[in-house]
Amino acid sequence: RACAFIPILSHLVCYFVSFQLRSRFKMSRNGGFSVYVGNLPYQTSEQEVGDFCSQAGKVINVRIVIDRETGRPKGFGFVEYSDEASAQNAVNQLNGQDFNGRSIRVNLANNRN
């Protein structure tokens, strides 16, 4: 009976190993690398966030998350960089920096599998 579980166990181990070997950054459909940017002022624009975050590398997309019910920004978003090194620079250089009077948080974006 134990032999019946070996293929299942083998599959789970392979899945776990492949998951661990993936990049630490969320890779978008566009092929960019995303970081989470939090504690944004509610009145800020995607253009302002993109301009600020471009000090770390080439920004290819910015998305501020909007509340569905109110239509107002939630105070966080995602910035997509063209390469992983730029995304890592953003985390290292921009986390805790002042942006329009607020100390922003910049972290790795979580993978959604």
Side-chain angles (χ1 to χ4, degrees):
R1 288 211 182 268
C3 293
F5 292 106
I6 290 175
I8 294 170
L9 181 60
S10 173
H11 176 72
L12 290 174
V13 168
C14 288
Y15 176 78
F16 178 76
V17 169
S18 69
F19 179 77
Q20 292 298 315
L21 294 177
R22 289 183 195 160
S23 171
R24 297 178 342 169
F25 293 95
K26 176 182 176 186
M27 189 166 186
S28 73
R29 289 182 220 146
N30 301 334
F33 296 87
S34 294
V35 295
Y36 162 88
V37 182
N39 200 33
L40 292 170
Y42 294 110
Q43 69 279 7
T44 195
S45 70
E46 290 178 344
Q47 181 67 46
E48 290 172 314
V49 174
D51 290 345
F52 181 80
C53 291
S54 66
Q55 8 179 348
K58 184 178 178 190
V59 173
I60 57 176
N61 189 35
V62 178
R63 184 174 66 88
I64 293 177
V65 177
I66 305 294
D67 186 286
R68 289 182 192 171
E69 292 181 22
T70 66
R72 296 181 183 159
K74 288 186 155 190
F76 69 93
F78 298 91
V79 175
E80 187 177 331
Y81 289 91
S82 60
D83 58 88
E84 190 170 353
S86 295
Q88 184 64 58
N89 285 339
V91 173
N92 295 337
Q93 295 175 9
L94 304 178
N95 188 41
Q97 293 294 315
D98 181 78
F99 175 72
N100 292 345
R102 298 189 76 164
S103 177
I104 61 169
R105 292 189 58 194
V106 181
N107 299 318
L108 305 176
N110 293 328
N111 272 328
R112 287 200 273 176
N113 292 331

